[in-house]
Amino acid sequence: VLVCVCVRVLSVGSDLDAEASKLLRSEYFKNLKTRQVLRMLRKLKEGMEGGDKEEKNLNTVSESELRKAKEAMNVDFVKNKVGSDHPDFEYDKQVDFGPAEDDNDWDDDHDPNMEDDFDDDDPF
């Protein structure tokens, strides 16, 4: 019953905060927390869009959706952050990712015949 109610009120362009407020006033959702309803609506909306969070175009979402996406990215960032007090912290860590798998000729505009203004011995 809950999913049916949600699907009827939800569309790809829906503002999830507004929809959650409406649903929380209904008999079916009155005992749920706002974050639970928002999480459920987000999952339903992602399913309607046919993708997950990584595929969402943040240029086209509402301000509240953009804020939520940024908050989610920040949670992941903080969770994965290795600060200077962390035992795995390594100063100036450099990682070799190997050759590129995709064509990235957008940055291959360097002409070897053109002399650049940089001195290889000068670190600045």
Side-chain angles (χ1 to χ4, degrees):
V1 173
L2 297 179
V3 174
C4 293
V5 170
C6 292
V7 172
R8 279 189 297 184
V9 298
L10 195 62
S11 68
V12 174
S14 294
D15 179 10
L16 297 186
D17 288 327
E19 296 300 335
S21 294
K22 290 178 199 173
L23 290 172
L24 286 167
R25 286 178 264 168
S26 74
E27 183 68 27
Y28 299 112
F29 292 87
K30 69 180 182 181
N31 293 325
L32 296 176
K33 296 179 181 175
T34 304
R35 66 179 170 76
Q36 292 172 312
V37 175
L38 282 170
R39 186 174 64 222
M40 178 187 59
L41 289 174
R42 249 184 256 114
K43 290 196 180 289
L44 286 170
K45 188 173 179 181
E46 286 171 10
M48 292 172 77
E49 292 171 343
D52 57 353
K53 291 186 265 188
E54 277 61 82
E55 296 176 18
K56 188 181 295 184
N57 182 352
L58 296 178
N59 291 316
T60 61
V61 299
S62 67
E63 287 294 321
S64 64
E65 282 295 286
L66 179 61
R67 187 181 80 253
K68 297 236 184 279
K70 286 182 175 183
E71 288 172 359
M73 287 187 273
N74 193 46
V75 167
D76 288 340
F77 173 78
V78 170
K79 182 175 66 175
N80 295 322
K81 181 180 172 187
V82 178
S84 60
D85 57 339
H86 194 278
D88 294 335
F89 176 77
E90 181 181 333
Y91 179 76
D92 195 25
K93 183 175 182 176
Q94 297 182 14
V95 178
D96 181 18
F97 292 101
E101 294 176 8
D102 297 329
D103 184 25
N104 63 351
D105 60 347
W106 59 268
D107 64 346
D108 289 341
D109 61 356
H110 179 70
D111 184 358
N113 298 326
M114 181 181 247
E115 191 170 324
D116 55 45
D117 296 333
F118 301 108
D119 181 7
D120 291 335
D121 296 328
D122 184 11
F124 301 103

